[in-house]
Amino acid sequence: MERHEHAVWHALPPDAAAQRLNSPPTGLSAAEAAARLERHGSNRLAPPRRASAWVRFLRQFDNILIYVLIGSAIVTALLGHPVDTAVILGVVLINAVVGFVQEGKAEAALDAIRDMLSLKAVVIRDGHRQEIEAEALVPGDRVLLASGDKVPADLRLLELRNLRVQEAALTGESEPVDKAVAPVDADAPLGDRTGMAYSGTLVTYGQGQGLVVATGQATELGRISTLLEQVGSLSTPLLEQIGRFGHWLTGVILAVAALTGLVGWLRGYHWADMFMAAVGLAVAAIPEGLPAVMTITFAIGVQRMARRNAIVRRLPAVETLGSVTVICSDKTGTLTQNAMTVQSVALADALIAVDGAGYAPDGGFRIGEAALAPHDAPGLTALARAAALCNDAALRHRDGEWLPEGDPTEVALLTLARKAGLPAAQPDWPRLDGIPFESEHRYMATLHATPDGGAVVFVKGAPERLLAMCSHEAGRDGAAPLERARWERHIAELAARGQRVLAVAEKRLPTPPGVLAADTATSGLTLLGLLGIMDPPRPEAIDAVRHCIEAGIRVKMITGDHAATARAIADRLGMGGDGRVLTGAEIEVLSDAELERVVANTDVYARASPEHKLRLVSALQTQGEVVAMTGDGVNDAPALKRADVGVAMGAKGTEAAKEASEVVLADDNFVTIARAVQEGRTIYDNLKKAIVFSLPTNGAQGCVIVAAILFGVALPITPVQVLWVNMVVAVTLALTLAFEPPEADIMRRPPRGRGEALLSGFLAWRVALVSVVQTVGSLGLFLWETAQGGTPEAARTLAVNALVVGQILYLFSSRYIVAPACTVEGFLGNRIALLGVGTLAALQLGFTYLPWMHTLLGTASLPAEDWLLVLGVGLLTFAVVELEKAALRVRLRRERSVGEEDPSEPI
């Protein structure tokens, strides 16, 4: 039996690894492979556990306010009030359906995590090369790799030729990694294990043979998947606020309802009547429309975000973005282009900056701030030609996109040649022979015929290696002796910018030799120049980081790339912090308490593993930060899930990252995050306005019922009428506040605190004031109609319409917390609000005059003159609120005149 459970494969020599797994050079036999497959299981990841449709539907009822309503429905059914029961359950059901449908749409937009393993694998079994399903791979199999293959399992490399593997999805490193068979230190981080090829990564160049050492859940990919399952999800700040508010409100409502029922019973009312009155009071005071308004407000925000290229998978995430205090961002593909680009060219007599980013040949050249035309720098053209010809990659333009084929660094050289004005094909310089890149000799050479009948050898590779091979350097006046010290300074300068340095040289020959010998390519070369290559930051990301900082949000970069590269990108992005780069190795030795102190001031983290990212996010959350994590790789998935809101890249991101996130950016654009923060803050503002608008309806209805019991008169509003008012006002009026535009200063405010109350003291005062005014108006009309000899049905219809019209006029006041609403903009600035008012007016006319509504809701028709009384109550509400706002503005002006802070600006 193979022994491998505790092996550190990257630290073992190839022969030792094969011996430990009992894997002969001829490969496993079919019988042994079948036995190992039975023992280890299929080479695939376990599918994610998903809640069934029924469970997702039942989750919509998990709300304390909904529990109270369901309890009220049960009691009314036992007391023989089927209409009340049906209406209460209808409200609960509608709310659940809205939430369930929206959650289902979000899940459909991003399907379950796709298989990260390749479909096929080429193996050696029974001494023969054969292609099998990747799921059938077992430890001990010998897998053959070629350029373009996805690595099907974790492999210990045995043999290779120029093998490079793109591991960005797993490690976050932007450049393909040159592989070698030699063992490395047992403590080497994942990105430095050059003798390994990991499941889900991509071979970009060369060939190799590897020994399968782990399959399925035992792979690094599977380990991250397991880690992902162990990460618990967090509640969002708003849900925490709603939870606290709901428990507080429910407790107050039930206590008042019970006390009122007890007082009425002590005063001689029948217990059943008092119980129904208490139920009516509870139903009146509970804002049952609020969950629906919340859900629909979120859904509207989701649609707006979708138009801005952000797909929201879980509704509360929209609002959570608005309270984010820290954004932890992956570097590669998130803040950067994920496309290697030549940024600098060093010639013998000039250091040239290259504009543009990505593979599109857009951008020019500069020396300092002065533009440079390629034809004015012959050395630049010669260097670009050599880099393009000593090259095995391709860059094709199709359907408006530039599509790279081959090694990303070589594609970057083709883009440079296009920027320098060279054609895609150069038939006058045909390749005659070549020496491919080998990690041992660290260069690539090609032999070309020249247009004048001669030949030239172009060589590119590691600068230290080429400097040793060069005797001369190219200058304006021809070749000159090599000044090595100057080139070493250039190398140091480019490396300090976080750029990977590549040297390019040539050797002219009078006639083409038959073959290119190594001796010819490695001596007597003329150095053409140096190229500084990096994955540059997105231009728009620089602006987005600045906007986030202005909004009081810290941006921290957490990447698997090297420290120098991370620091250079952070500097160009304008990120703050203490200038320190904390590496994964340093994180390993820090305790949780020490890490919490470090993360407060350090903004750049390099060579970070999935566990490191998870620890960093957790450390920030322990300090009370609301953390958003952005990323695109499998290695980002655990931290994405742990964060308060995970943001994955949609175009270049892995399915694992998308599955773990709440928000997916369809355009992979960091600037969309800044827009999402603005959208989240706007949603919170509008939701708060909706709550402040809706609660007076409940407050007035509850007060009316309490007053009726205390004064010993009939209930002015029945429970079923209460539900009618709550739902129609919530759906037609409160919902229109979700369409309010953002406040002008919304991105200049600091993020709100996680413990901030949903209702400030000032807003609670506003709710109480409006509740009292509406109570006086509605109860007054009920008593007046009763005194005039009107029927209870007519008096209740009058009272309900007084409440509704009062809320209509209060809606316009609610659009501005402090500013006056008596303006054209105040009444006509929100067209959705006007549509809602018209819809509600039509519903109330039906409520008042339709016979079947009389039967269902206990209403009666009103004479035309009664509507003047109803309108008077509405205008009274509007006038009182506007006078209160005017008094508030006077107080604010006085405070500002003495330089005090504004303590009353609630939104």
Side-chain angles (χ1 to χ4, degrees), residues 50-62 100 103:
R50 288 288 184 84
S52 66
W54 276 110
V55 171
R56 288 195 295 113
F57 181 70
L58 292 175
R59 273 203 305 247
Q60 311 304 319
F61 298 92
D62 189 13
F100 175 78
E103 186 177 321

Side-chain angles (χ1 to χ4, degrees), residues 62 66 70 106 182 258 348 369 379 391 445 475 491 517 537 543 632 692 751 753 809 815 834 892:
D62 189 13
I66 299 298
I70 292 174
E369 296 300 321
N391 201 308
I491 293 170
D543 292 333
D632 61 351
V692 173
L809 288 167
R815 292 191 60 216
L834 297 177
L892 291 177

Side-chain angles (χ1 to χ4, degrees), residues 351-649:
L351 188 58
I352 302 170
V354 185
D355 294 328
Y359 297 129
D362 302 324
F365 303 90
R366 290 179 292 105
I367 297 179
E369 296 300 321
L372 174 70
H375 57 75
D376 292 333
L380 174 61
T381 304
L383 175 61
R385 176 180 286 111
L389 292 174
C390 187
N391 201 308
D392 289 330
L395 182 61
R396 310 189 191 284
H397 191 248
R398 188 181 307 141
D399 299 329
E401 287 188 79
W402 291 93
L403 305 176
E405 297 178 12
D407 184 86
T409 298
E410 293 199 327
V411 177
L413 304 184
L414 297 179
T415 302
L416 174 72
R418 292 289 188 89
K419 291 178 181 179
L422 296 174
Q426 300 186 59
D428 294 339
W429 300 76
R431 183 188 292 193
L432 305 177
D433 197 9
I435 299 174
F437 178 88
E438 295 276 2
S439 56
E440 289 79 8
H441 56 58
R442 301 170 68 201
Y443 71 86
M444 173 184 177
T446 55
L447 173 65
H448 297 263
T450 60
D452 60 7
V456 63
V457 179
F458 292 130
V459 185
K460 75 173 190 292
E464 301 84 3
R465 181 74 173 100
L466 261 66
L467 284 178
M469 296 158 57
C470 292
S471 59
H472 291 76
E473 62 186 42
R476 282 189 176 273
D477 301 323
L482 182 74
E483 292 188 30
R484 186 181 181 105
R486 184 178 67 234
W487 291 106
E488 288 177 341
R489 288 195 300 272
H490 285 324
I491 293 170
E493 183 177 352
L494 296 181
R497 298 178 184 178
Q499 298 174 5
R500 177 190 175 193
V501 184
L502 195 67
V504 182
E506 70 174 17
K507 185 175 185 178
R508 295 281 172 166
L509 304 173
T511 58
V515 295
L516 179 58
D519 291 345
T520 304
T522 57
S523 63
L525 301 181
T526 298
L527 185 64
L528 297 176
L530 304 172
L531 301 173
I533 306 169
M534 73 184 306
D535 179 16
R538 296 171 178 267
E540 64 273 16
I542 297 173
D543 292 333
V545 168
R546 188 182 74 253
H547 290 319
C548 288
I549 293 173
E550 290 173 353
I553 301 169
R554 292 284 295 274
V555 180
K556 296 180 183 289
M557 179 195 297
I558 307 176
T559 177
D561 217 332
H562 295 280
T565 305
R567 183 71 261 170
I569 294 294
D571 289 341
R572 292 179 62 176
L573 287 166
M575 293 174 59
D578 54 11
R580 178 183 179 185
V581 179
L582 193 68
T583 65
E586 293 171 317
I587 294 173
E588 285 283 355
V589 300
L590 293 176
S591 67
D592 289 344
E594 291 170 332
L595 185 60
E596 287 170 21
R597 288 194 295 271
V598 170
V599 296
N601 297 314
T602 303
D603 287 348
V604 184
Y605 304 86
R607 299 312 257 175
S609 70
E611 289 88 352
H612 298 150
K613 296 181 180 185
L614 195 56
R615 282 191 68 197
L616 289 167
V617 170
S618 298
L620 288 165
Q621 290 172 329
T622 301
Q623 293 182 319
E625 305 285 1
V626 179
V627 181
M629 173 74 193
T630 73
D632 61 351
V634 180
N635 59 322
D636 299 315
L640 286 170
K641 184 177 179 181
R642 171 66 186 183
D644 295 278
V645 54
V647 183
M649 303 298 108

